[in-house]
Amino acid sequence: MTAGRTKTSRRAPSSKVPAGKRRSGAGAKRKGPSGPAAYGSINIIVPVYNEGENIERTLSSVAGKIKTPHRIFIVYDFDEDNTLPAVKPLLNQYPITLVRNRYGRGVLNAIKTGFDTVTGGVVLVIMADLSDDLVVVDSMFEKMNEGYDIVCG
C-alpha cells in the first residue's frame, strides 16, 4: 500500500559524503516554513477486474479495519465486469464512487484513472483480493498528518 506527498525517515550518514555536504533526496527532511498538513480523510483506489465474488468482503474489510474517514473509488475496465452487479446493491452502504477506466484495460491504467479522478488529499491504492494488510492504514494516515509525503506499508 502506498500513500502520496515526501518526507522520509533519516538515514545513517554515508561515509562517502561528508556531513553537511549530503544531498537532499531520499532520507532528507522537507525544508520550508510549511508545517504538517492536516488531512481529514483517505481516498482509496481499488482497481477491479471481475471481482464480483470478492468485492463485498473487500468493502466490509475496509469498513471494519480502516477507522479514518474514507471514500472508495472502484475503477473497472468495462461495463460487463462482474464486479458492477455485486457493487450496485452496496452503493448506499459504503462511500463508493464507480469509475470507468479511461486509459484502456489493466491495473496500471485503472490506478492512473483513479489518481486522475481523486481531487487532492491522501490517496491509497489497495487490491480487491484482500492481499493488503488494512490494519496498518490508520497508522499510515497518522504519518501523513505528521508531514510525511509518502508512506508505504
Side-chain angles (χ1 to χ4, degrees), residues 1-3 42-45 66 122-126 134 137 140:
M1 289 185 272
T2 59
I42 303 172
N43 298 296
I44 302 173
I45 298 171
I66 301 176
V122 174
V123 178
L124 172 70
V125 177
I126 65 169
L134 301 178
V137 173
M140 290 170 62

Side-chain angles (χ1 to χ4, degrees), residues 46 51 53-64 72 94 126-130 134:
V46 184
E51 295 289 348
E53 292 182 20
N54 295 327
I55 198 66
E56 186 170 3
R57 198 169 50 246
T58 300
L59 295 171
S60 176
S61 184
V62 167
I72 303 166
Y94 299 101
I126 65 169
M127 299 297 114
D129 63 2
L130 294 172
L134 301 178

Side-chain angles (χ1 to χ4, degrees), residues 14-147:
S14 168
S15 60
K16 295 180 183 178
V17 181
K21 296 289 184 181
R22 270 185 234 119
R23 294 173 287 187
S24 63
K29 292 197 176 186
R30 195 173 355 140
K31 295 181 181 178
S34 62
Y39 297 105
S41 65
I42 303 172
N43 298 296
I44 302 173
I45 298 171
V46 184
V48 297
Y49 178 75
N50 289 332
E51 295 289 348
E53 292 182 20
N54 295 327
I55 198 66
E56 186 170 3
R57 198 169 50 246
T58 300
L59 295 171
S60 176
S61 184
V62 167
K65 294 179 180 175
I66 301 176
K67 302 306 177 202
T68 303
H70 56 271
R71 178 116 200 118
I72 303 166
F73 295 85
I74 295 177
V75 185
Y76 62 96
D77 286 345
F78 54 93
D79 293 332
E80 294 77 28
D81 187 317
N82 73 17
T83 309
L84 297 178
V87 167
K88 288 186 179 176
L90 305 171
L91 291 174
N92 292 326
Q93 188 176 347
Y94 299 101
I96 300 170
T97 299
L98 291 172
V99 181
R100 184 169 178 154
N101 188 340
R102 296 180 219 163
Y103 297 107
R105 293 184 173 197
V107 68
L108 294 178
N109 286 326
I111 292 170
K112 184 177 169 183
T113 296
F115 273 98
D116 286 349
T117 302
V118 170
T119 56
V122 174
V123 178
L124 172 70
V125 177
I126 65 169
M127 299 297 114
D129 63 2
L130 294 172
S131 60
D132 299 300
D133 183 6
L134 301 178
V135 173
V136 301
V137 173
D138 291 325
S139 60
M140 290 170 62
F141 185 73
E142 288 175 19
K143 290 291 183 190
M144 294 298 295
N145 276 330
E146 288 174 15

